[in-house]
Amino acid sequence: MKFTAFAAVSALAITSASAAFAGPEAEVLHYWTSGGEAKSVAVLQQEFAAKGGTWTDMPVAGGGGDAAMTALRARVLSGNAPTAVQLKGPAIQEWYEEGVLADISSVAEASGWAAVLPESIANHMKCEGSWCAAPVNVHRVDWIWANAELLAANGIEMPTTWDEFNAAAEKLAAAGITPLAHGGQAWQDATVFEAVVLGVGGAEFFQQALVDLDTDALTSDTMVQAFDQMRTLRGYVDGNFSGRDWNLATAMVMNGEAAFQIMGDWAKGEFLAAGKVPGEDFLCASTPGDGFLYNVDSFAMFDVAGADKKAGQDLLAELIVGQNFQKVFNLNKGSIPARVDVALDEFDSCAHLSAADMTSSSEGGTLLPSYAHGMALRGAQAGAITDVVTAHFNSDMSSAEAVQMLADAVANSY
Ligand code: GAL
C-alpha cells in the first residue's frame, strides 16, 4: 500500500515536471546597448537559441552599468531577481554576501574552467571557494583612441607621455579641432582619471591610492599632479560634453569632429561595428605610463526557482566560457578572451597589443584592477572616489581641495 502510494506520487511528479519543462530559459539583465555592444551580446543570444534556449532580454541603457545596477537592486528587493546578470568585480561577492547568487560550480568543474582561466581572473569569479560568475572577456581601460587622418594632417604622432598629449592637444586646439572627445558622465570622468593616475604616479602608486586606499597616497603631491592633469584635460573637451554617452564621443573621433578619446577598448567595438579599420582609420595606444588596467566582464546567476531557469543558467554559463563564444564575442566587443587557449589570429593589432601588454604587466607586477569599472573596490568606496573626481572635473575646484575631499570621502565611505 505504502509502496503503491509512493509510486503514484512520484509518477505524478515526473509527469508534471516533464510537462512543465519547456527548455532552458533565461532573463538576462545587461547594459550592452551601443552598436558594438549590441552586436556582441547578440552572439550569446544566438548561441543560446541554437541550443534550444529562450532568451528574455532585459537591456538597461547607460554606459558603465550604473542604471543597470539600480534596476538590479529593485528587482532583487522585490523578490523577482533576473536569471542572469552582467555583473563584475567585488560586486559579485557583495551580492553573494546577500545570499542571492546561484552556485555554478558544477558547470565550471565539468567544463574545466580552472585549467583555461588565469588565476587572477578565476579569483574574481569565486565566492568562498565556489564558482559564482562566468567571465566573458578582458577589457583594457587605459587606452587612447585617435582619428588617424586628423593626426596625420596635423603632423601629430600618438603621444607617449602626458606632456606629449598636452602638446598635441594644444596644436589641435589651435587648428580649431576639438582635441578630446568626452562625455560628461561621472563614470567617464573616472575612466579618464584612473588612466591619468596610472600615468602620472605609476603602477605602485595606483595600487596604493586606488586599490589599497592609502591615505598618504590619496593626499600626496602625486595625486595633486593627477588632478592638475585632469584640469588640463578639461580644457580640451568641447562645450557640449555634459551628459554625452561614451559611444557618441567615440563617434566624434570616427567622424573627425574630435581627435582623441580616452576610453576602454569597448570603444574599439564601436569603430569596428562602423566598419573602421585599426591602423588606417583609427589608432590605438595605451595611455602614457606603464601598467595595464583590466576590466573583466562577467555574468552572475541569481537564485531563482524552476527547472527551466536553472537549465538556462547552466547553459548560459557553459556557453559564456566556451571557446567559440569567447572568440566571436570578443572580436565584436573590442576586448580579448578571458580564456588563455583562444587563438588570436583573427584579432586586430590593438587586441594583440592588449594581450602582449597584459602578459608583460602580469609578469612585471603592473597588472591592476580598474577602479572606475568596478574591479578594484567595493561599490561604496568606488562611488566616493568618483563623486570627488566628477565634482572636481565639473567645477573650478583646486587640486589641493580635491585631494583633501578625496581622503575625507574615502574615510567616510566605510
Ligand atoms: C564597462 C563594461 C564594458 C562596456 C562599458 C560601457 O564597464 O565593462 O563591457 O560595456 O562599460 O558600457
Side-chain angles (χ1 to χ4, degrees):
M1 180 68 200
K2 247 184 174 178
F3 175 72
T4 323
F6 174 75
V9 168
S10 43
L12 216 156
I14 289 163
T15 326
S16 60
S18 52
F21 187 74
E25 181 185 302
E27 186 197 4
V28 185
L29 191 159
H30 63 90
Y31 52 94
W32 286 330
T33 55
S34 76
E37 290 174 335
K39 247 182 122 178
S40 312
V41 74
V43 177
L44 188 56
Q45 292 181 11
Q46 282 151 12
E47 286 201 359
F48 193 63
K51 296 270 180 185
T54 306
W55 174 295
T56 306
D57 206 31
M58 197 194 167
V60 181
D66 293 339
M69 293 304 106
T70 306
L72 171 63
R73 184 147 292 279
R75 288 284 304 267
V76 177
L77 286 179
S78 66
N80 178 28
T83 14
V85 178
Q86 184 196 343
L87 195 68
K88 58 183 158 144
I92 299 169
Q93 285 75 29
E94 287 185 272
W95 280 110
Y96 171 82
E97 286 161 17
E98 298 201 24
V100 291
L101 290 194
D103 186 344
I104 53 171
S105 299
S106 57
V107 178
E109 278 152 26
S111 312
W113 290 3
V116 294
L117 297 175
E119 209 185 336
S120 53
I121 294 182
N123 286 341
H124 282 291
M125 308 299 140
K126 290 190 180 163
C127 296
E128 288 184 337
S130 65
W131 292 85
C132 50
V136 299
N137 64 2
V138 181
H139 268 306
R140 182 181 200 174
V141 178
D142 50 316
W143 284 110
I144 300 179
W145 307 94
N147 179 300
E149 208 180 301
L150 278 183
L151 259 53
N154 290 278
I156 292 168
E157 300 275 315
M158 271 307 244
T160 58
T161 64
W162 286 107
D163 285 346
E164 278 178 25
F165 183 92
N166 297 345
E170 298 293 342
K171 197 170 177 188
L172 288 158
I177 298 158
T178 298
L180 185 61
H182 185 62
Q185 294 173 339
W187 73 271
Q188 294 188 54
D189 300 338
T191 301
V192 173
F193 175 71
E194 69 175 351
V196 168
V197 169
L198 179 66
V200 168
E204 206 179 321
F205 178 76
F206 185 99
Q207 170 78 32
Q208 289 163 352
L210 297 182
V211 182
D212 301 339
L213 301 180
D214 175 76
T215 311
D216 290 344
L218 290 173
T219 55
S220 63
D221 286 348
T222 308
M223 193 55 92
V224 171
Q225 283 166 34
F227 278 104
D228 288 348
Q229 178 61 27
M230 288 301 284
R231 177 64 67 237
T232 303
L233 291 176
R234 173 71 182 80
Y236 300 147
V237 170
D238 70 305
N240 294 324
F241 80 110
S242 192
R244 178 188 291 142
D245 287 325
W246 66 272
N247 51 318
L248 299 182
T250 309
M252 288 172 69
V253 176
M254 250 184 244
N255 302 334
E257 290 163 47
F260 297 113
Q261 184 182 19
I262 297 169
M263 185 50 67
D265 43 22
W266 43 94
K268 194 185 72 185
E270 295 304 297
F271 284 110
L272 298 180
K276 304 290 179 193
V277 180
E280 287 177 28
D281 302 313
F282 69 97
L283 307 174
C284 64
S286 60
T287 51
D290 288 338
F292 185 112
L293 300 181
Y294 70 84
N295 169 22
V296 176
D297 284 313
S298 47
F299 280 88
M301 308 302 160
F302 277 66
D303 215 355
V304 288
D308 305 29
K309 290 180 175 172
K310 287 184 191 299
Q313 293 180 327
D314 286 354
L315 177 56
L316 267 184
E318 189 190 323
L319 292 175
I320 283 169
V321 188
Q323 236 174 345
N324 185 58
F325 171 75
Q326 293 255 325
K327 183 182 90 179
V328 184
F329 174 89
N330 286 301
L331 279 170
N332 286 297
K333 190 70 172 68
S335 35
I336 55 174
R339 276 180 85 115
V340 294
D341 61 347
V342 177
L344 294 181
D345 313 8
E346 293 170 51
F347 284 75
D348 58 49
S349 53
C350 307
H352 283 271
L353 177 64
S354 183
D357 285 359
M358 184 170 156
T359 305
S360 61
S361 301
S362 174
E363 286 162 6
T366 61
L367 179 63
L368 294 156
S370 159
Y371 117 76
H373 291 275
M375 297 305 298
L377 302 170
R378 290 186 156 242
Q381 281 71 47
I385 296 174
T386 299
D387 285 350
V388 177
V389 169
T390 201
H392 169 267
F393 199 71
N394 292 291
S395 69
D396 58 3
M397 187 190 297
S398 73
S399 301
E401 277 175 277
V403 296
Q404 192 50 54
M405 197 189 251
L406 186 64
D408 293 345
V410 168
N412 292 330
S413 69
Y414 294 98

